[in-house]
Structures are given as C-alpha cells and as structure tokens.
Amino acid sequence: MKKLLTATMFLMMLFVLSSSTKQFTIYMIGDSTMADKDMKKAPEERGWGMVLQGFFTENVRIENHAKNGRSSKSFITEGRWQKVLDRMKPGDYLVIQFGHNDEKSKDSLRFTRPWNEFAENYRKFIRGAKEKGVTPIVMNCVARRNFFNAKTKAEIDDEALRSVNRDKFSVSDEKINSDTVVDTHGDYAKVPAVIAKEMKVAYVDANKISTELENKLGAKGSRELHMIKYNGKDNTHFNEYGAHEIASRLVDAMAKEVPCLKKYVRHYDYIVSQKGRGNYMTLQNAVDAAPMGKKTKILVLDGAWAKPNVPNGKKIKLVTYSNVTIK
C-alpha cells in the first residue's frame, strides 16, 4: 500500500490513522494564543489549538473552546467552563492554558492574583475534569515575543494589537536590546507547574518550549512566528506558520507526559484544510510546494478536491480523513 503519488500515477491512500479504534475528544480551554480564529476577520492569524487536529489521527477529535481575550476568571464567569464540563465524558482529555489575560490588573472582569484566584481556578478545572473521568493536561502560557529588557509588560492589551494600522507601523520601529526573550508573565507562568504537581496531573511547560523556539530563531527570525509579520506590532498572537511550529512541539510534549497519546500523534510535511486548520488552504498549493525528488507526506483534513496536477519528479504520499473526497 505504501506507494507514491507521481504525475503518471495518482493513488488515493486512505488510511485508518491509528493503531486503535478508540474514539475520544481532547477539549481545550484557554485564550487567544490557543483559540480558533475567524478567517474573514483575521485571515493570517491562528491559535495553536486551531491547527492541532492535523497532528492527530482521525479517531482523536479536537474540540477547541479557547476564546480571544479570556482569563481563567472570565472563562468561568461567562459560563464557558460549565459548557465544557457538561460535554466531557470519561476517557476524554482536557488541555488547560491561561495566563495572558489574568495579568490585566486594571480589568476587574479578568484579573486574578497568581497564587490565589489564578491557582484556585486551575484547581477548579482539574477537579472538574477528574470528577468526569477526564485526564487533565496542564500548561502554562506561551511566551510573548519580547526581546526588550525593561519593566514587565503584563498590562499589554494583546487584543488591541490586532487593530494596528498595517501601513502605520514597521517592524523597524520595535525596541530590541536583548539577545534572548525577556519574560513578561512572571508568576503566571510558574503557578500551573506547582498546581499540576500538587494535584498529580500531567504538566507541559509551554512557556519554556515557546521561549526556546523564539530564542532559536532570534529577535529577527522569530517575527516569522507572529502577527508582527503582517501588522508590525503584534508579538503575542501567532500566524499560520507560528501556530504550526508551536503545535508541533506541544503535541510531542503532550505525548511525552501522557504516553497513551503517543500512538495517535502524526507529523506530516504539509496539512491541507479549507477551514484554515492546515498550513495550506488548497490541495494543489500543497502539491506545488512539495520539493522535487523528495518523499513528501500530505494530510488532507477536510474538503472536496479536484485531482491535483503533479509534475514529474514529485513523490507524494497522500493521506486523507474519511470525510475528504478527491475526484
């Protein structure tokens, strides 16, 4: 069955993308760095949770309840946590990631003190999951791309960064005086690890993982991860490339901390989704991007597609979810 897609031979390869028939859902709660995005309003922006489905086999369902601008407090007071709690069932998983908006001390609807209400909200999420027979996976907040060593920028209005006039700002305007990322989260990045240890649940240090990626790329290269690439200002939210880079690392960390997830994790060269959950919006664009002579794996998550035109010399293995059609 492991044949290649070439210009002279087009084979649809429909796999059962798992060694097990078990079906379960990974629920996600958090803020805008994780959330699904409105493609009409923010065509380049992605939360890392929005693209997570492409890193799992089809029998794993990602249900992303993360929402722009929410803190652990407002997520509860708005009734969003209760909605998730009511939907979860035994055998599911819950990924928890807050912090960016809990820091907003001037906003009484969102602000929490790190070692008090913030910590207790994490306990609340974990207890609720356990009572439903759901496995919690605790994460701390991802890093902001901040290479400026100054007073902690906890009061940054992350949501307002989207409204920056793209013609008014340039990346050359940003202040940089550090070779490595300067933390802006303080105790909000520390609390989740303590609570996870206290309650004996899995913990993923998303802040460390994202900081390491930012530092690897450097002050200039890390612009490619964020919306600053498009509006010259936003170092908090991810673009399509950044979301996939973060999700790729976090999914492996999840599988390491929760080993039973490992057999469901997959990595592909390209992921196609009409809904913006891949790194290509069309199948033909993914095929066009594939290098000559190199084996390339393409996952198609959704949609109905025309048979792509494959140039001679391209070696493509195509994997599709069961709802996909190619004619």
Side-chain angles (χ1 to χ4, degrees):
M1 289 187 63
K2 295 183 178 180
K3 297 182 179 179
L4 299 178
L5 171 67
T6 68
T8 58
M9 184 193 314
F10 180 85
L11 289 179
M12 269 299 303
M13 303 184 69
L14 182 60
F15 295 106
V16 177
L17 301 180
S18 173
S19 58
S20 168
T21 58
K22 181 181 179 182
Q23 301 280 328
F24 59 88
T25 299
I26 298 176
Y27 289 88
M28 309 186 73
I29 60 174
D31 56 39
S32 58
T33 58
M34 178 194 277
D36 289 355
K37 306 300 177 179
D38 185 334
M39 299 296 294
K40 293 181 180 179
K41 293 181 180 179
E44 301 100 352
E45 188 180 344
R46 304 287 189 278
W48 70 267
M50 182 176 178
V51 303
L52 190 62
Q53 184 69 66
F55 294 91
F56 281 101
T57 57
E58 186 172 2
N59 49 333
V60 178
R61 180 172 174 268
I62 304 299
E63 190 167 308
N64 191 5
H65 289 261
K67 193 72 174 177
N68 292 357
R70 271 56 181 187
S71 70
S72 66
K73 179 179 180 178
S74 62
F75 196 85
I76 293 170
T77 57
E78 292 177 1
R80 298 179 185 278
W81 168 235
Q82 187 62 50
K83 179 181 178 181
V84 175
L85 194 59
D86 290 342
R87 291 179 63 82
M88 294 189 300
K89 61 185 184 300
D92 289 336
Y93 295 80
L94 174 70
V95 179
I96 308 162
Q97 185 184 68
F98 289 97
H100 278 83
N101 300 304
D102 286 82
E103 302 167 359
K104 307 297 189 286
S105 62
K106 297 178 181 179
D107 186 344
S108 62
L109 297 178
R110 296 189 291 176
F111 175 66
T112 62
R113 289 180 174 80
W115 297 104
N116 296 297
E117 191 176 6
F118 184 60
E120 185 53 38
N121 287 342
Y122 261 82
R123 292 187 185 99
K124 182 183 182 74
F125 298 140
I126 294 167
R127 283 196 298 266
K130 285 185 171 182
E131 288 170 1
K132 294 294 291 282
V134 171
T135 302
I137 302 175
V138 169
M139 294 189 184
N140 56 358
C141 45
V142 291
R144 290 189 181 94
R145 179 188 166 271
N146 175 40
F147 286 85
F148 186 61
N149 194 359
K151 185 178 179 181
T152 299
K153 300 179 180 180
E155 289 304 323
I156 292 173
D157 187 353
D158 299 303
E159 303 307 309
L161 295 174
R162 295 191 183 89
S163 62
V164 170
N165 186 326
R166 297 185 182 211
D167 298 324
K168 185 178 180 181
F169 292 94
S170 167
V171 291
S172 62
D173 297 329
E174 68 173 331
K175 296 179 180 179
I176 296 175
N177 65 6
S178 174
D179 293 330
T180 57
V181 168
V182 179
D183 176 59
T184 66
H185 296 300
D187 285 349
Y188 292 93
K190 300 174 183 177
V191 168
V194 174
I195 302 304
K197 183 177 181 180
E198 169 194 314
M199 301 192 72
K200 297 180 174 58
V201 297
Y203 170 69
V204 171
D205 193 342
N207 189 265
K208 179 182 178 181
I209 291 170
S210 55
T211 296
E212 288 175 347
L213 176 59
E214 305 274 2
N215 286 335
K216 178 181 178 181
L217 295 174
K220 182 178 179 179
S222 59
R223 291 172 182 159
E224 297 297 313
L225 301 172
H226 295 276
M227 289 299 292
I228 188 173
K229 177 179 179 180
Y230 298 100
N231 65 18
K233 197 71 175 177
D234 187 348
N235 290 299
T236 297
H237 302 106
F238 299 115
N239 57 36
E240 181 182 78
Y241 170 70
H244 277 84
E245 289 296 307
I246 293 294
S248 177
R249 287 161 173 77
L250 292 185
V251 74
D252 285 341
M254 289 166 61
K256 180 178 179 181
E257 297 303 320
V258 187
C260 58
L261 288 177
K262 187 173 183 179
K263 63 183 177 182
Y264 302 104
V265 172
R266 299 289 186 274
H267 288 274
Y268 297 91
D269 297 299
Y270 306 118
I271 302 170
V272 178
S273 170
Q274 290 179 330
K275 300 176 182 178
R277 301 185 185 280
N279 46 14
Y280 286 91
M281 296 287 287
T282 75
L283 177 54
Q284 187 61 59
N285 284 347
V287 170
D288 292 344
M292 288 288 183
K294 182 180 178 181
K295 293 181 179 180
T296 304
K297 293 190 296 182
I298 298 176
L299 171 67
V300 187
L301 279 176
D302 51 56
W305 307 94
K307 178 180 174 180
N309 177 38
V310 184
N312 286 325
K314 292 201 174 186
K315 301 177 180 180
I316 297 172
K317 181 160 67 174
L318 190 66
V319 182
T320 71
Y321 271 19
S322 59
N323 63 333
V324 174
T325 59
I326 301 178
K327 297 181 179 179

